[in-house]
mmCIF file of all heavy atoms in Angstrom:
data_model
loop_
_atom_site.group_PDB
_atom_site.id
_atom_site.type_symbol
_atom_site.label_atom_id
_atom_site.label_comp_id
_atom_site.label_asym_id
_atom_site.label_seq_id
_atom_site.Cartn_x
_atom_site.Cartn_y
_atom_site.Cartn_z
ATOM 1 N N ARG A 50 -108.945 -102.408 51.114
ATOM 2 C CA ARG A 50 -108.650 -102.517 52.556
ATOM 3 C C ARG A 50 -107.286 -102.972 52.879
ATOM 4 O O ARG A 50 -106.964 -103.198 54.006
ATOM 5 C CB ARG A 50 -109.720 -103.412 53.205
ATOM 6 C CG ARG A 50 -111.142 -102.912 53.147
ATOM 7 C CD ARG A 50 -112.126 -103.900 53.688
ATOM 8 N NE ARG A 50 -112.104 -105.202 52.878
ATOM 9 C CZ ARG A 50 -112.771 -106.274 53.241
ATOM 10 N NH1 ARG A 50 -113.390 -106.296 54.403
ATOM 11 N NH2 ARG A 50 -112.726 -107.284 52.410
ATOM 12 N N PHE A 51 -106.448 -103.132 51.832
ATOM 13 C CA PHE A 51 -105.108 -103.711 52.090
ATOM 14 C C PHE A 51 -104.053 -102.669 51.912
ATOM 15 O O PHE A 51 -104.150 -101.661 51.222
ATOM 16 C CB PHE A 51 -104.891 -104.847 51.046
ATOM 17 C CG PHE A 51 -105.945 -105.949 51.067
ATOM 18 C CD1 PHE A 51 -107.053 -105.862 50.188
ATOM 19 C CD2 PHE A 51 -105.919 -106.950 52.043
ATOM 20 C CE1 PHE A 51 -108.030 -106.885 50.227
ATOM 21 C CE2 PHE A 51 -106.879 -107.884 52.082
ATOM 22 C CZ PHE A 51 -107.955 -107.857 51.181
ATOM 23 N N ARG A 52 -102.918 -102.978 52.541
ATOM 24 C CA ARG A 52 -101.728 -102.120 52.490
ATOM 25 C C ARG A 52 -100.512 -102.909 52.085
ATOM 26 O O ARG A 52 -100.297 -104.016 52.596
ATOM 27 C CB ARG A 52 -101.479 -101.413 53.824
ATOM 28 C CG ARG A 52 -100.390 -100.430 53.828
ATOM 29 C CD ARG A 52 -100.244 -99.835 55.266
ATOM 30 N NE ARG A 52 -99.174 -98.894 55.378
ATOM 31 C CZ ARG A 52 -99.151 -97.655 55.003
ATOM 32 N NH1 ARG A 52 -100.275 -97.098 54.482
ATOM 33 N NH2 ARG A 52 -98.099 -96.864 55.137
ATOM 34 N N LEU A 53 -99.742 -102.465 51.145
ATOM 35 C CA LEU A 53 -98.645 -103.204 50.630
ATOM 36 C C LEU A 53 -97.369 -102.390 50.667
ATOM 37 O O LEU A 53 -97.365 -101.220 50.282
ATOM 38 C CB LEU A 53 -98.917 -103.602 49.195
ATOM 39 C CG LEU A 53 -97.825 -104.367 48.448
ATOM 40 C CD1 LEU A 53 -97.644 -105.750 49.024
ATOM 41 C CD2 LEU A 53 -98.188 -104.483 46.899
ATOM 42 N N GLU A 54 -96.292 -102.993 51.205
ATOM 43 C CA GLU A 54 -95.029 -102.320 51.220
ATOM 44 C C GLU A 54 -94.120 -102.818 50.130
ATOM 45 O O GLU A 54 -93.737 -103.963 50.081
ATOM 46 C CB GLU A 54 -94.316 -102.665 52.613
ATOM 47 C CG GLU A 54 -93.113 -101.869 52.895
ATOM 48 C CD GLU A 54 -93.467 -100.403 53.279
ATOM 49 O OE1 GLU A 54 -94.513 -100.227 53.989
ATOM 50 O OE2 GLU A 54 -92.729 -99.517 52.885
ATOM 51 N N PRO A 55 -93.842 -101.955 49.116
ATOM 52 C CA PRO A 55 -93.031 -102.350 47.975
ATOM 53 C C PRO A 55 -91.620 -102.787 48.344
ATOM 54 O O PRO A 55 -91.039 -102.368 49.466
ATOM 55 C CB PRO A 55 -92.979 -101.115 47.132
ATOM 56 C CG PRO A 55 -94.141 -100.325 47.610
ATOM 57 C CD PRO A 55 -94.246 -100.599 49.042
ATOM 58 N N ASP A 56 -90.977 -103.591 47.547
ATOM 59 C CA ASP A 56 -89.577 -104.002 47.693
ATOM 60 C C ASP A 56 -88.631 -102.923 47.242
ATOM 61 O O ASP A 56 -87.557 -102.824 47.780
ATOM 62 C CB ASP A 56 -89.279 -105.310 46.893
ATOM 63 C CG ASP A 56 -90.288 -106.427 47.190
ATOM 64 O OD1 ASP A 56 -90.522 -106.651 48.418
ATOM 65 O OD2 ASP A 56 -90.768 -107.065 46.242
ATOM 66 N N HIS A 57 -89.042 -102.192 46.247
ATOM 67 C CA HIS A 57 -88.160 -101.195 45.623
ATOM 68 C C HIS A 57 -88.958 -99.983 45.212
ATOM 69 O O HIS A 57 -90.184 -100.042 45.194
ATOM 70 C CB HIS A 57 -87.481 -101.723 44.396
ATOM 71 C CG HIS A 57 -86.664 -102.981 44.593
ATOM 72 N ND1 HIS A 57 -85.387 -102.950 45.091
ATOM 73 C CD2 HIS A 57 -86.984 -104.326 44.337
ATOM 74 C CE1 HIS A 57 -84.934 -104.217 45.200
ATOM 75 N NE2 HIS A 57 -85.842 -104.997 44.746
ATOM 76 N N GLY A 58 -88.273 -98.892 44.942
ATOM 77 C CA GLY A 58 -88.943 -97.694 44.408
ATOM 78 C C GLY A 58 -89.231 -97.899 42.931
ATOM 79 O O GLY A 58 -88.771 -98.846 42.273
ATOM 80 N N LEU A 59 -89.964 -96.938 42.420
ATOM 81 C CA LEU A 59 -90.364 -97.003 40.960
ATOM 82 C C LEU A 59 -89.098 -96.852 40.110
ATOM 83 O O LEU A 59 -89.128 -97.239 38.897
ATOM 84 C CB LEU A 59 -91.360 -95.881 40.677
ATOM 85 C CG LEU A 59 -92.750 -96.064 41.201
ATOM 86 C CD1 LEU A 59 -93.622 -94.885 40.928
ATOM 87 C CD2 LEU A 59 -93.425 -97.307 40.576
ATOM 88 N N ASP A 60 -88.052 -96.278 40.623
ATOM 89 C CA ASP A 60 -86.820 -96.110 39.827
ATOM 90 C C ASP A 60 -86.133 -97.430 39.588
ATOM 91 O O ASP A 60 -85.185 -97.520 38.752
ATOM 92 C CB ASP A 60 -85.851 -95.225 40.573
ATOM 93 C CG ASP A 60 -85.429 -95.646 41.933
ATOM 94 O OD1 ASP A 60 -86.016 -96.659 42.432
ATOM 95 O OD2 ASP A 60 -84.556 -95.034 42.569
ATOM 96 N N HIS A 61 -86.654 -98.586 40.146
ATOM 97 C CA HIS A 61 -86.135 -99.918 39.892
ATOM 98 C C HIS A 61 -86.701 -100.513 38.609
ATOM 99 O O HIS A 61 -86.173 -101.464 38.092
ATOM 100 C CB HIS A 61 -86.479 -100.805 41.064
ATOM 101 C CG HIS A 61 -85.977 -102.211 40.963
ATOM 102 N ND1 HIS A 61 -84.603 -102.528 41.122
ATOM 103 C CD2 HIS A 61 -86.642 -103.388 40.717
ATOM 104 C CE1 HIS A 61 -84.504 -103.855 40.944
ATOM 105 N NE2 HIS A 61 -85.681 -104.331 40.708
ATOM 106 N N LEU A 62 -87.789 -99.964 38.079
ATOM 107 C CA LEU A 62 -88.462 -100.577 36.922
ATOM 108 C C LEU A 62 -87.585 -100.683 35.691
ATOM 109 O O LEU A 62 -87.650 -101.727 35.014
ATOM 110 C CB LEU A 62 -89.699 -99.681 36.536
ATOM 111 C CG LEU A 62 -90.885 -99.688 37.552
ATOM 112 C CD1 LEU A 62 -92.057 -98.879 36.996
ATOM 113 C CD2 LEU A 62 -91.294 -101.047 37.977
ATOM 114 N N PRO A 63 -86.707 -99.718 35.332
ATOM 115 C CA PRO A 63 -85.878 -99.880 34.174
ATOM 116 C C PRO A 63 -84.898 -101.044 34.172
ATOM 117 O O PRO A 63 -84.413 -101.425 33.167
ATOM 118 C CB PRO A 63 -85.156 -98.556 34.051
ATOM 119 C CG PRO A 63 -86.070 -97.558 34.734
ATOM 120 C CD PRO A 63 -86.620 -98.344 35.873
ATOM 121 N N SER A 64 -84.641 -101.593 35.372
ATOM 122 C CA SER A 64 -83.740 -102.707 35.472
ATOM 123 C C SER A 64 -84.454 -104.071 35.320
ATOM 124 O O SER A 64 -83.778 -105.084 35.246
ATOM 125 C CB SER A 64 -83.059 -102.696 36.861
ATOM 126 O OG SER A 64 -83.972 -102.888 37.909
ATOM 127 N N ALA A 65 -85.785 -104.056 35.160
ATOM 128 C CA ALA A 65 -86.542 -105.308 35.019
ATOM 129 C C ALA A 65 -86.670 -105.710 33.595
ATOM 130 O O ALA A 65 -86.621 -104.828 32.701
ATOM 131 C CB ALA A 65 -87.868 -105.210 35.629
ATOM 132 N N ASP A 66 -86.755 -107.036 33.310
ATOM 133 C CA ASP A 66 -87.001 -107.485 32.018
ATOM 134 C C ASP A 66 -88.483 -107.310 31.605
ATOM 135 O O ASP A 66 -88.755 -106.925 30.378
ATOM 136 C CB ASP A 66 -86.719 -109.000 31.850
ATOM 137 C CG ASP A 66 -85.230 -109.290 32.067
ATOM 138 O OD1 ASP A 66 -84.367 -108.583 31.583
ATOM 139 O OD2 ASP A 66 -84.978 -110.222 32.889
ATOM 140 N N THR A 67 -89.365 -107.449 32.524
ATOM 141 C CA THR A 67 -90.803 -107.283 32.313
ATOM 142 C C THR A 67 -91.387 -106.466 33.369
ATOM 143 O O THR A 67 -91.144 -106.678 34.536
ATOM 144 C CB THR A 67 -91.500 -108.652 32.227
ATOM 145 O OG1 THR A 67 -90.991 -109.485 31.190
ATOM 146 C CG2 THR A 67 -93.026 -108.484 32.028
ATOM 147 N N VAL A 68 -92.160 -105.441 32.967
ATOM 148 C CA VAL A 68 -92.819 -104.599 33.952
ATOM 149 C C VAL A 68 -94.342 -104.785 33.760
ATOM 150 O O VAL A 68 -94.874 -104.667 32.642
ATOM 151 C CB VAL A 68 -92.471 -103.063 33.724
ATOM 152 C CG1 VAL A 68 -93.328 -102.188 34.631
ATOM 153 C CG2 VAL A 68 -90.993 -102.903 34.053
ATOM 154 N N ILE A 69 -95.035 -105.034 34.832
ATOM 155 C CA ILE A 69 -96.492 -105.283 34.814
ATOM 156 C C ILE A 69 -97.193 -104.188 35.599
ATOM 157 O O ILE A 69 -96.860 -103.910 36.730
ATOM 158 C CB ILE A 69 -96.801 -106.660 35.451
ATOM 159 C CG1 ILE A 69 -96.222 -107.763 34.559
ATOM 160 C CG2 ILE A 69 -98.340 -106.845 35.461
ATOM 161 C CD1 ILE A 69 -96.459 -109.161 35.097
ATOM 162 N N VAL A 70 -98.181 -103.563 34.944
ATOM 163 C CA VAL A 70 -98.970 -102.566 35.530
ATOM 164 C C VAL A 70 -100.388 -103.153 35.785
ATOM 165 O O VAL A 70 -101.122 -103.427 34.854
ATOM 166 C CB VAL A 70 -99.113 -101.312 34.661
ATOM 167 C CG1 VAL A 70 -99.923 -100.240 35.410
ATOM 168 C CG2 VAL A 70 -97.722 -100.762 34.292
ATOM 169 N N PRO A 71 -100.779 -103.384 37.078
ATOM 170 C CA PRO A 71 -102.038 -103.991 37.368
ATOM 171 C C PRO A 71 -103.161 -103.001 37.092
ATOM 172 O O PRO A 71 -102.937 -101.888 36.657
ATOM 173 C CB PRO A 71 -101.975 -104.271 38.886
ATOM 174 C CG PRO A 71 -100.520 -104.274 39.139
ATOM 175 C CD PRO A 71 -99.938 -103.324 38.263
ATOM 176 N N GLY A 72 -104.448 -103.394 37.301
ATOM 177 C CA GLY A 72 -105.527 -102.588 36.938
ATOM 178 C C GLY A 72 -105.554 -101.261 37.801
ATOM 179 O O GLY A 72 -105.132 -101.266 38.930
ATOM 180 N N TRP A 73 -105.967 -100.207 37.124
ATOM 181 C CA TRP A 73 -106.050 -98.828 37.733
ATOM 182 C C TRP A 73 -107.566 -98.610 38.042
ATOM 183 O O TRP A 73 -108.391 -98.630 37.211
ATOM 184 C CB TRP A 73 -105.523 -97.871 36.719
ATOM 185 C CG TRP A 73 -105.570 -96.471 37.091
ATOM 186 C CD1 TRP A 73 -106.389 -95.509 36.591
ATOM 187 C CD2 TRP A 73 -104.810 -95.834 38.155
ATOM 188 N NE1 TRP A 73 -106.157 -94.309 37.199
ATOM 189 C CE2 TRP A 73 -105.205 -94.449 38.159
ATOM 190 C CE3 TRP A 73 -103.849 -96.259 39.038
ATOM 191 C CZ2 TRP A 73 -104.632 -93.526 39.063
ATOM 192 C CZ3 TRP A 73 -103.281 -95.324 39.868
ATOM 193 C CH2 TRP A 73 -103.694 -93.999 39.957
ATOM 194 N N ALA A 74 -107.836 -98.380 39.376
ATOM 195 C CA ALA A 74 -109.189 -98.359 39.835
ATOM 196 C C ALA A 74 -109.974 -97.133 39.278
ATOM 197 O O ALA A 74 -111.076 -97.266 38.825
ATOM 198 C CB ALA A 74 -109.213 -98.319 41.367
ATOM 199 N N ASP A 75 -109.437 -95.945 39.409
ATOM 200 C CA ASP A 75 -110.185 -94.701 39.025
ATOM 201 C C ASP A 75 -109.747 -94.235 37.686
ATOM 202 O O ASP A 75 -108.836 -93.402 37.586
ATOM 203 C CB ASP A 75 -109.994 -93.661 40.114
ATOM 204 C CG ASP A 75 -110.970 -92.529 39.868
ATOM 205 O OD1 ASP A 75 -111.752 -92.519 38.936
ATOM 206 O OD2 ASP A 75 -111.032 -91.634 40.791
ATOM 207 N N VAL A 76 -110.328 -94.695 36.612
ATOM 208 C CA VAL A 76 -109.871 -94.368 35.283
ATOM 209 C C VAL A 76 -110.288 -92.948 34.908
ATOM 210 O O VAL A 76 -109.811 -92.404 33.923
ATOM 211 C CB VAL A 76 -110.453 -95.328 34.223
ATOM 212 C CG1 VAL A 76 -109.950 -96.749 34.458
ATOM 213 C CG2 VAL A 76 -111.984 -95.273 34.219
ATOM 214 N N ASP A 77 -111.080 -92.255 35.758
ATOM 215 C CA ASP A 77 -111.452 -90.927 35.464
ATOM 216 C C ASP A 77 -110.296 -89.961 35.902
ATOM 217 O O ASP A 77 -110.374 -88.797 35.490
ATOM 218 C CB ASP A 77 -112.771 -90.548 36.248
ATOM 219 C CG ASP A 77 -113.940 -91.279 35.728
ATOM 220 O OD1 ASP A 77 -113.970 -91.556 34.549
ATOM 221 O OD2 ASP A 77 -114.849 -91.600 36.525
ATOM 222 N N GLN A 78 -109.385 -90.433 36.716
ATOM 223 C CA GLN A 78 -108.325 -89.621 37.156
ATOM 224 C C GLN A 78 -107.018 -90.028 36.406
ATOM 225 O O GLN A 78 -106.813 -91.198 36.068
ATOM 226 C CB GLN A 78 -108.060 -89.840 38.702
ATOM 227 C CG GLN A 78 -109.266 -89.416 39.519
ATOM 228 C CD GLN A 78 -109.563 -87.928 39.479
ATOM 229 O OE1 GLN A 78 -108.596 -87.140 39.408
ATOM 230 N NE2 GLN A 78 -110.818 -87.567 39.484
ATOM 231 N N ASP A 79 -106.186 -89.005 36.144
ATOM 232 C CA ASP A 79 -104.911 -89.380 35.483
ATOM 233 C C ASP A 79 -104.035 -90.124 36.476
ATOM 234 O O ASP A 79 -103.954 -89.797 37.659
ATOM 235 C CB ASP A 79 -104.178 -88.028 35.053
ATOM 236 C CG ASP A 79 -104.879 -87.331 33.923
ATOM 237 O OD1 ASP A 79 -105.543 -88.073 33.123
ATOM 238 O OD2 ASP A 79 -104.773 -86.103 33.847
ATOM 239 N N PRO A 80 -103.321 -91.144 35.981
ATOM 240 C CA PRO A 80 -102.320 -91.875 36.858
ATOM 241 C C PRO A 80 -101.296 -90.917 37.316
ATOM 242 O O PRO A 80 -100.983 -89.850 36.731
ATOM 243 C CB PRO A 80 -101.737 -92.915 35.911
ATOM 244 C CG PRO A 80 -102.725 -93.042 34.775
ATOM 245 C CD PRO A 80 -103.244 -91.675 34.631
ATOM 246 N N PRO A 81 -100.655 -91.215 38.481
ATOM 247 C CA PRO A 81 -99.606 -90.342 39.034
ATOM 248 C C PRO A 81 -98.464 -90.143 38.075
ATOM 249 O O PRO A 81 -98.024 -91.045 37.327
ATOM 250 C CB PRO A 81 -99.104 -91.132 40.246
ATOM 251 C CG PRO A 81 -100.249 -92.020 40.633
ATOM 252 C CD PRO A 81 -100.918 -92.357 39.351
ATOM 253 N N ALA A 82 -97.945 -88.910 38.013
ATOM 254 C CA ALA A 82 -96.850 -88.599 37.043
ATOM 255 C C ALA A 82 -95.655 -89.415 37.283
ATOM 256 O O ALA A 82 -94.982 -89.827 36.303
ATOM 257 C CB ALA A 82 -96.525 -87.059 37.195
ATOM 258 N N GLY A 83 -95.357 -89.703 38.580
ATOM 259 C CA GLY A 83 -94.159 -90.515 38.822
ATOM 260 C C GLY A 83 -94.283 -91.900 38.283
ATOM 261 O O GLY A 83 -93.318 -92.449 37.778
#
Side-chain angles (χ1 to χ4, degrees):
R50 295 177 294 172
F51 304 97
R52 184 178 176 83
L53 179 66
E54 191 72 38
D56 305 314
H57 303 279
L59 290 173
D60 57 356
H61 181 73
L62 295 184
S64 66
D66 297 315
T67 299
V68 172
I69 297 179
V70 182
W73 177 249
D75 192 354
V76 297
D77 294 327
Q78 300 294 323
D79 290 332

